[in-house]
């Protein structure tokens, strides 16, 4: 395929003109400035996506870590990237006009991919695929998907919490996502459904798996298991609040205890992730022995 874009002279396998980089960065910033600003405001105000500030930093770290390998990737510009960029801009316009923030924000990743493809080619795009895909985790889910995911998690956390409270001898009546205790009612709201810690734990599992795990199946397993870990840990949080409320009253389960319990449960979920990885790390020798 003949291409319009021509590869620039290279140093150590990679040469990109700084003026060209600044011009492209300025155009992207001007085009997506309002979208990115609004998304960062949501990161700041919405605890469900406060990890969004860390996601681009980690993606940048991955690129910096791979900088020597990226210099060896041959540049093979491809005109298909120009069509991808046009499609990304069309998505941006459609999302902006239709007030669909997710589409407008997601189009940024298509634009970045199109720019890489146009100026550097498929090999470079594959080389930076992980940090580019990782950026998806910084984009808040659309409201329709968030609501569809949250409510079932609320019911699941409520059911698990109710069963655990009954096991420890505390009488409880569950009505949907509300746990009725003898002297107080606990409502398993969205924040306690697992979705808040789930989003952060998935991002953490992606990053942790990339840094310490080479096996693709183990990385995928770590990410997938974040769902039961998040729901289970939040169910334990509700159980703890129920036990404290039953024996010491509702005020004891509020304030500092509620804040501290949230952090304790998140740390426990991280520990569970580390334990899962330890188990997975001992599966490889077993699998090799079985195969031989």
């Amino acid at each position: 395929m003949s291409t319009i874009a021509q590869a620039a002279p290279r140093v150590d396998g990679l040469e990109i003109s700084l003026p060209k980089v600044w011009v492209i960065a300025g155009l992207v910033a001007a085009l997506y400035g309002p979208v990115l600003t609004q998304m960062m405001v949501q990161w700041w105000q919405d605890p469900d996506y406060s990890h969004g500030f860390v996601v681009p930093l980690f993606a940048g770290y991955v690129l910096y870590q791979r900088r020597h390998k990226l210099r060896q990737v041959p540049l093979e510009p491809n005109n298909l990237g120009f069509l991808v960029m046009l499609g990304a801009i069309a998505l941006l316009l459609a999302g902006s006009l239709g007030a669909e923030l997710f589409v407008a924000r997601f189009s940024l990743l298509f634009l970045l991919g199109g720019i890489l493809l146009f100026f550097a080619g498929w090999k470079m795009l594959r080389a930076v695929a992980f940090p580019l895909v990782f950026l998806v985790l910084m984009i808040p889910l659309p409201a329709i998907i968030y609501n569809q995911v949250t409510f079932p998690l609320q019911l699941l956390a409520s059911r698990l919490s109710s069963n655990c409270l009954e096991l420890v001898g505390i009488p409880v009546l569950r009505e949907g996502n509300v746990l009725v205790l003898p002297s107080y009612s606990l409502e398993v709201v969205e924040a306690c459904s697992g979705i808040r810690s789930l989003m952060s734990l998935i991002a953490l599992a992606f990053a942790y798996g990339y840094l310490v795990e080479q096996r693709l199946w183990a990385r995928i397993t770590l990410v997938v298991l974040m769902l039961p870990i998040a729901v289970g840990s939040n169910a334990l949080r509700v159980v703890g609040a129920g036990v404290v409320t039953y024996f010491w009253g509702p005020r004891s389960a509020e304030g500092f205890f509620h804040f501290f319990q949230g952090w304790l449960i998140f740390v426990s979920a991280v520990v569970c992730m580390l334990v899962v990885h330890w188990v997975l790390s001992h599966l490889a020798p077993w699998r090799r022995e079985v195969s031989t």
Side-chain angles (χ1 to χ4, degrees), residues 229-242:
I229 289 176
V231 175
S233 61
N234 279 273
L236 289 178
R237 179 180 184 180
V238 177
V239 171

Side-chain angles (χ1 to χ4, degrees), residues 246-263:
Y246 180 75
F247 287 104
W248 293 283
R251 289 190 176 182
S252 301
E254 299 174 353
F256 174 77
F257 176 81
H258 184 78
F259 174 79
F260 176 76
Q261 188 188 35
W263 277 104

